[in-house]
Amino acid sequence: MCGIVGYLGNRDAVPVLLSGLRRLEYRGYDSAGMAVIRGNGDLNVHKCKGRVADLEKHIEGKDTAATIGIAHTRWATHGEPNDCNAHPHLSQSGRIALVHNGIIENYRILKEALTEQGYTFRSTTDSEVFVNLIEYIQEANNCSLLEAVQQATKQVVGAYAIAVVDRDNPDQLIAVRQSSPLVIGIGEGEYFISSDAASVIEYTNDFVYLNDGEIALISRNVPVRVTTAENESCRVDISTLQLSISELEKGGYEHFMLKEIFEQPHTLQDCIRGRIDKQTYATVLSGVRDNKEHFLNARRIIIVACGTSWHAALIGKHFIESLCRIPVEVDYASEFRYRKPVIQSDDIVIAVSQSGETADTLAAVNLARKSGAFVYGVCNVVGSSIARATDSGTYIHVGPEIGVASTKAFTGQVTVLLLLAMAISHEKGIAQEDRCKAIAKEMLTLPQKLESTLERVTTEVQSLAKIFTYAHNFIYMGRGVNYPTALEGALKLKEISYIHAEGYPAAEMKHGPIALVDAEMPCVVIATPDATYDKTVSNMEEIKARGGKIVAVVAEEDTIASEIADYVIRVPAVSEYLMPIVVSIPLQLLAYHIAVNKGRDVDKPRNLAKSVTVE
Ligand code: F6R
C-alpha cells in the first residue's frame, strides 16, 4: 500500500528514486511522484496519475539534477487517483514536501484546525494535512524541522510512514515509521529510505530497520540519528540483507507471476533446506526446538492471517491437528483483532504473512502478545514487522514475491506449516513419528515432482484456459486439505482475471450452491486420493447430472473421477499432506492463462496492491 523511497548522497537522485519506485510499484500503482531539491535551492515536485512509467515520461526533458529527493507510488485511500492527490504533497508555503504511506485517522479534525489557522488544501488527501501540520508547528514554535515532525507525530493518529524534505535544508531528510514499514539503507556517504529494502538493494546491503514511533534524522555526511517523538535517542542497529538483483527481475518471463509459478521447484527446495534430517527424516525447526516448552504445553493454537495466507493457515490446521493432536483455530486477522478473542497464556498464536507487513495481521500479533500468548511468525520477508514483532518463527525463504497474486509464497507457507506440524510432533514424541518421517521423506522428492508437473500440465492448462476464457463464473471444490486449496484456486482466478469464482467444500454444494450449476458453469473439482475421494466422486456425479462442466484435478493413475469429468488435469500421486502444493500448480496456471487471454494486467491487477499496510 503505497511505496516510499528517498535519497540523500552524491549521486543524481532521480535515477535512484525511479529505480526504487519501479521496484516498489507492487505496493500501489495508481499515481506516482517525486520531490527533489535542486542545486539552486528550488524544491521541484513532479507527479501524475498513472504508473511509474508515466512519471518517467512526465519528467522527460526536464532538468531534475539533484542529490536529495523523495518519491512515492500510490494506492489511493483518501481521494481518487489523480495528479493532484498524487504524492509528494507540499506545505502551504511550498517549503516542505512529504510522501506518506498509511492512513491518518484524525485528519478531519486536524484539517479543520489548520483551516481555522488559514491553511487551504489543494488535494483531498489526509497526507496534505500532515505536511501542513508540520509547517504550522514549525512556524508557530520557530523550531527545527525535526522538532516540528516530533511534535506533529504526537498529534497524528493512525498507521503511517513518511519522508519529509525542507527546501531550506537540502542536506537533511526526515523519515518516520508508525505501523507502516520503513527502512534506511546505508551506503558510502549516501542514504536511502524505502518501504522495502529490496527496492534499493543494488546500492546497499546494509539497513537500519526503524521501529514503530521512531524518527530518523538523515543528514549529509553525518551518521543517522534516530529519536522518539520525545526526542529520546534510540539504538541504531545496522543489519545486512542478502538478496540478489536477479531475484527482483523477470528473468525472461512475460510476467513476474509466471516466473514465480515456475520458480516453485526451487523455492520449495530452499524452504525445506536444512530442516529435514536426510538420514533420520526427523524435522527440526530451531523456532520449535528453542521454544519446546511452549509447544509441549500449548492447549490450543490460533492461526491468524489474511487472504492467501489465510488459505494456507486453513491447510495448516489440518496438519497440526492430525499430526500433533493440538486443537487449532484459524481466524481472519481482521476479525480476530476486533472480536475480543479469548487468548490464554498457554495458547500459541501463529501469524502467517508473506510480506510480514499486513496491518491486520500485525495488529493481531500485537494483541496476542499483550494477552500473554506465545506468538510465532511464518513470514517470507526477512526483517519484516511481523517477523520482528513475534516471539519466534520460521521464514518460508521463497525469495521476493513481486506479482501481486501470491503463488510461490502460498506453497512455501503450506510447506512451512507442514514442517511446523512435523517438528512439533517430533518434539512431543507422539505416535505420529513414522507418519511424519514418511511425509518428510516424500517432501524431499517434491521439488522434482513439481518440476515434472510444470512440464506436463503447462500446455494442457493453456488449452483449457482457451476454452474457459469467456466464462462468467467458476466454482472450485475440494474436501479436507483441498477445500482451502479450492478457495485459493478461486481467489487466484478472480483477482487477476476479474471472473467471479467461489470455492466450496464439495459436500456443501447440495446445501445451496448447486442451484448455480448449469452448462455455462465450469466446476473445478479437486478429486485426488484421500478418505473422501468416493464422496467427491458422488458430488461430481451430482454436478454432471445438472449439466455442469467439470474440470477435474486428479492423481496420475485415476480412473473413476477422470471418467466423469469433461476435462482432466493429472498431477503426481503424492501423499494427501503434500497434495495442496502439487494441485496448486495447475490452478495457478489456469488463472494466469485465462487472465492473459483476457488481456489483464496480471502482475498489477486493478484495485489491488501487495502488502496491505492499511486496514
Ligand atoms: C492474494 C494475496 C493476498 C495476500 C493477503 C495477505 O493473492 O496475495 O490475499 O495473501 O493480502 O498478505 P500477506 O501474506 O503479505 O500478509
Side-chain angles (χ1 to χ4, degrees):
M1 304 265 119
C2 300
I4 289 177
V5 63
Y7 179 74
L8 172 60
N10 299 315
R11 314 172 192 242
D12 188 5
V14 170
V16 178
L17 297 176
L18 284 173
S19 75
L21 283 186
R22 271 183 238 114
R23 294 206 196 286
L24 287 175
E25 221 176 2
Y26 70 86
R27 302 179 65 86
Y29 32 83
D30 60 45
S31 44
M34 60 169 69
V36 290
I37 306 177
R38 308 273 316 287
N40 63 5
D42 285 353
L43 172 57
N44 294 157
V45 171
H46 307 282
K47 57 183 186 172
C48 60
K49 181 181 172 184
R51 304 279 166 99
V52 175
D54 297 303
L55 176 66
E56 283 178 68
K57 278 199 206 110
H58 183 75
I59 60 172
E60 232 167 51
K62 295 192 173 121
D63 186 356
T64 54
T67 57
I68 176 170
I70 53 177
H72 188 266
T73 175
R74 182 168 186 244
W75 186 85
T77 57
H78 294 67
E80 63 173 287
N82 59 28
D83 292 355
C84 180
N85 287 336
H87 297 218
H89 290 284
L90 279 177
S91 62
Q92 179 137 304
S93 72
R95 183 171 55 81
I96 305 171
L98 167 145
V99 288
H100 164 222
N101 166 29
I103 288 181
I104 309 304
E105 287 167 14
N106 60 339
Y107 84 102
R108 281 194 190 84
I109 300 171
L110 294 171
K111 194 171 181 173
E112 272 169 32
L114 287 165
T115 306
E116 277 172 26
Q117 298 300 323
Y119 278 83
T120 54
F121 295 84
R122 306 170 186 103
S123 75
T124 49
T125 64
D126 50 348
S127 318
E128 195 184 357
V129 175
F130 208 151
V131 70
N132 278 325
L133 178 64
I134 294 170
E135 178 168 284
Y136 170 72
I137 293 172
Q138 197 180 7
E139 285 178 0
N141 298 292
N142 195 19
C143 62
S144 69
L145 184 66
L146 175 65
E147 286 165 320
V149 171
Q150 287 171 331
Q151 293 305 317
T153 59
K154 289 189 205 163
Q155 296 189 32
V156 163
V157 177
Y160 55 85
I162 57 165
V164 186
V165 287
D166 178 348
R167 185 186 59 202
D168 296 345
N169 195 346
D171 295 324
Q172 203 177 75
L173 248 176
I174 293 180
V176 185
R177 179 205 153 109
Q178 180 58 57
S179 305
S180 283
L182 204 64
V183 298
I184 304 166
I186 314 282
E188 291 276 320
E190 57 183 354
Y191 298 102
F192 307 82
I193 54 172
S194 181
S195 308
D196 178 352
S199 78
V200 291
I201 198 76
E202 60 224 82
Y203 305 108
T204 182
N205 291 88
D206 293 334
F207 292 94
V208 174
Y209 291 86
L210 291 181
N211 294 308
D212 281 348
E214 289 186 346
I215 302 169
L217 176 66
I218 301 161
S219 309
R220 221 177 268 281
N221 302 321
V222 175
V224 174
R225 194 180 151 222
V226 179
T227 68
T228 62
E230 308 296 341
N231 201 31
E232 286 152 3
S233 292
C234 306
R235 262 177 74 124
V236 179
D237 290 326
I238 299 178
S239 319
T240 302
L241 178 66
Q242 298 306 343
L243 192 67
S244 77
I245 295 183
S246 65
E247 292 183 76
L248 305 169
E249 314 262 310
K250 280 192 206 150
Y253 285 90
E254 203 180 328
H255 295 101
F256 279 109
M257 182 178 176
L258 191 63
K259 177 189 175 219
E260 287 157 8
I261 292 173
F262 274 85
E263 272 175 352
Q264 288 173 108
H266 300 286
T267 55
L268 208 82
Q269 200 136 37
D270 292 343
C271 190
I272 301 168
R273 185 166 296 121
R275 291 166 170 175
I276 295 174
D277 185 315
K278 288 187 180 147
Q279 253 78 55
T280 63
Y281 300 112
T283 304
V284 177
L285 295 180
S286 54
V288 175
R289 187 197 50 211
D290 300 346
N291 298 287
K292 193 172 163 175
E293 291 314 308
H294 287 287
F295 286 96
L296 293 186
N297 298 328
R299 296 255 296 261
R300 177 177 66 152
I301 290 178
I302 304 167
I303 316 184
V304 290
C306 303
T308 288
S309 303
W310 183 78
H311 296 155
L314 290 176
I315 297 174
K317 170 184 166 81
H318 281 264
F319 296 156
I320 298 170
E321 287 191 340
S322 83
L323 297 176
C324 314
R325 307 309 296 152
I326 302 174
V328 179
E329 289 172 20
V330 178
D331 230 328
Y332 283 118
S334 54
E335 291 295 316
F336 178 82
R337 63 181 290 196
Y338 288 115
R339 196 165 44 77
K340 293 200 175 60
V342 178
I343 311 168
Q344 281 152 359
S345 55
D346 51 6
D347 284 336
I348 292 181
V349 174
I350 301 177
V352 183
S353 173
Q354 185 284 128
S355 62
E357 300 296 347
T358 300
D360 284 320
T361 313
L362 184 57
V365 164
N366 291 334
L367 174 67
R369 289 203 71 188
K370 256 193 226 144
S371 310
F374 176 73
V375 186
Y376 201 83
V378 174
C379 296
N380 187 33
V381 178
V382 175
S384 55
S385 303
I386 294 171
R388 289 184 300 135
T390 41
D391 294 303
S392 184
T394 302
Y395 282 115
I396 63 172
H397 287 316
V398 299
E401 190 180 63
I402 295 166
V404 163
S406 186
T407 52
K408 63 176 181 174
F410 175 70
T411 49
Q413 289 165 339
V414 172
T415 305
V416 162
L417 288 166
L418 182 51
L419 289 168
L420 188 64
M422 296 194 293
I424 300 170
S425 173
H426 177 73
E427 298 299 344
K428 286 184 89 149
I430 61 175
Q432 305 293 336
E433 192 75 5
D434 288 346
R435 201 150 148 225
C436 290
K437 287 187 175 177
I439 301 167
K441 189 173 177 186
E442 195 180 359
M443 203 184 230
L444 292 170
T445 68
L446 202 57
Q448 209 191 337
K449 287 183 177 146
L450 289 191
E451 195 86 63
S452 63
T453 309
L454 279 161
E455 261 169 42
R456 192 146 49 79
V457 302
T458 300
T459 329
E460 276 169 42
V461 173
Q462 252 171 312
S463 314
L464 262 183
K466 278 195 194 128
I467 300 170
F468 292 115
T469 296
Y470 298 102
H472 293 295
N473 297 289
F474 264 83
I475 287 185
Y476 285 69
M477 276 171 274
R479 298 189 69 156
V481 283
N482 283 322
Y483 158 50
T485 314
L487 289 176
E488 175 58 11
L491 178 63
K492 281 305 79 107
L493 183 71
K494 71 182 130 191
E495 67 185 330
I496 60 167
S497 73
Y498 319 148
I499 294 175
H500 172 242
E502 298 285 340
Y504 278 101
E508 271 298 301
M509 283 300 286
K510 52 186 162 305
H511 299 289
I514 202 161
L516 296 170
V517 172
D518 61 18
E520 304 295 308
M521 172 69 90
C523 301
V524 179
V525 185
I526 306 167
T528 50
D530 59 27
T532 56
Y533 175 81
D534 293 338
K535 315 264 179 222
T536 307
V537 167
S538 306
N539 301 141
M540 288 172 70
E541 295 278 19
E542 290 153 12
I543 291 164
K544 188 84 182 172
R546 285 155 184 85
K549 287 272 167 292
I550 300 179
V551 178
V553 183
V554 300
E556 257 152 9
E557 298 83 15
D558 183 274
T559 51
I560 306 170
S562 44
E563 196 139 296
I564 305 167
D566 298 277
Y567 307 93
V568 177
I569 303 170
R570 292 184 187 274
V571 294
V574 296
S575 137
E576 185 186 342
Y577 290 85
L578 302 174
M579 204 44 108
I581 300 171
V582 175
V583 168
S584 292
I585 300 282
L587 300 190
Q588 294 166 352
L589 284 169
L590 184 65
Y592 172 80
H593 287 294
I594 290 179
V596 168
N597 294 347
K598 291 179 88 75
R600 304 301 192 212
D601 190 346
V602 172
D603 284 335
K604 300 189 185 83
R606 71 180 180 203
N607 305 339
L608 296 180
K610 212 165 177 73
S611 193
V612 184
T613 52
V614 295
E615 279 191 54

